[in-house]
Amino acid sequence: MNSKEIQKKIFLLCSAFLLLCTIGSTQAMAQEQDDLTFVFTQEEVDTKAIYHGESITAFSKAFSSVFISPDTPKKTNYIVIASFIVETDGRVTDVQIIKGDEFGMGDAVISALSRMQTVRPAIKDGKNVRSRFLMPFTIQGNGKLKVSKKK
């Protein structure tokens, strides 16, 4: 083998190595991006996201402290079902009203959830992950609030 053939083989080997490194790096970056954008349900995580105090009572008390009930006609109960994401840093985002957006109740729930302190995020495989909650809220006609158990 002459030196040009050796150089050509070295060049091809180096090119193949760089290509493999680029593919591996691209796959790792894609996995990292998936980790940042994928949202788990509460059933898919190892440890569920939870409010400080670790109970629905603590969550209900904190939510009640920032919830401002809109003026409504007297009615027994208003039920609002909200969906939201707990981010990897514990922020509550992407609040959506699934049911019960009458008389401004949905907007009041969105506003209160957006103003709450951070939540301890869910954990999957030892890492903080994004997780989605579906939670019903019952607001009584007198403006008192009852938060049902997390779904």
Side-chain angles (χ1 to χ4, degrees):
M1 229 188 296
N2 65 29
S3 68
K4 283 194 176 201
E5 289 175 340
I6 292 173
Q7 286 177 344
K8 186 176 178 180
K9 285 187 178 191
I10 290 173
F11 175 77
L12 290 173
L13 285 173
C14 288
S15 296
F17 176 75
L18 288 173
L19 180 63
L20 288 174
C21 288
T22 302
I23 290 170
S25 176
T26 302
Q27 288 173 340
M29 286 171 41
Q31 179 62 42
E32 187 175 306
Q33 182 63 26
D34 284 347
D35 290 347
L36 296 175
T37 58
F38 188 78
V39 179
F40 291 92
T41 64
Q42 292 301 300
E43 293 76 31
E44 296 173 316
V45 296
D46 301 327
T47 305
K48 295 179 180 182
I50 192 163
Y51 191 74
H52 306 288
E54 300 186 16
S55 72
I56 194 67
T57 305
F59 178 85
S60 182
K61 184 177 179 183
F63 184 87
S64 295
S65 72
V66 294
F67 178 77
I68 301 168
S69 182
D71 290 331
T72 59
K74 292 294 180 198
K75 182 179 174 186
T76 308
N77 288 325
Y78 297 93
I79 297 174
V80 177
I81 299 176
S83 168
F84 56 93
I85 293 175
V86 175
E87 298 290 344
T88 58
D89 63 359
R91 290 176 299 118
V92 173
T93 64
D94 193 32
V95 182
Q96 299 173 9
I97 300 304
I98 306 301
K99 178 184 175 195
D101 192 14
E102 52 188 6
F103 304 110
M105 286 294 179
D107 288 339
V109 167
I110 289 171
S111 178
L113 283 171
S114 299
R115 289 194 318 264
M116 288 190 65
Q117 294 178 358
T118 59
V119 176
R120 193 169 64 215
I123 298 173
K124 174 106 175 140
D125 298 329
K127 295 187 333 188
N128 291 356
V129 294
R130 300 173 80 213
S131 61
R132 180 167 296 282
F133 274 81
L134 187 63
M135 184 173 287
F137 298 86
T138 302
I139 299 108
Q140 298 170 353
N142 59 9
K144 290 188 179 182
L145 175 75
K146 179 181 177 188
V147 179
S148 301
K149 286 206 171 210
K150 295 180 255 189
K151 298 274 182 193

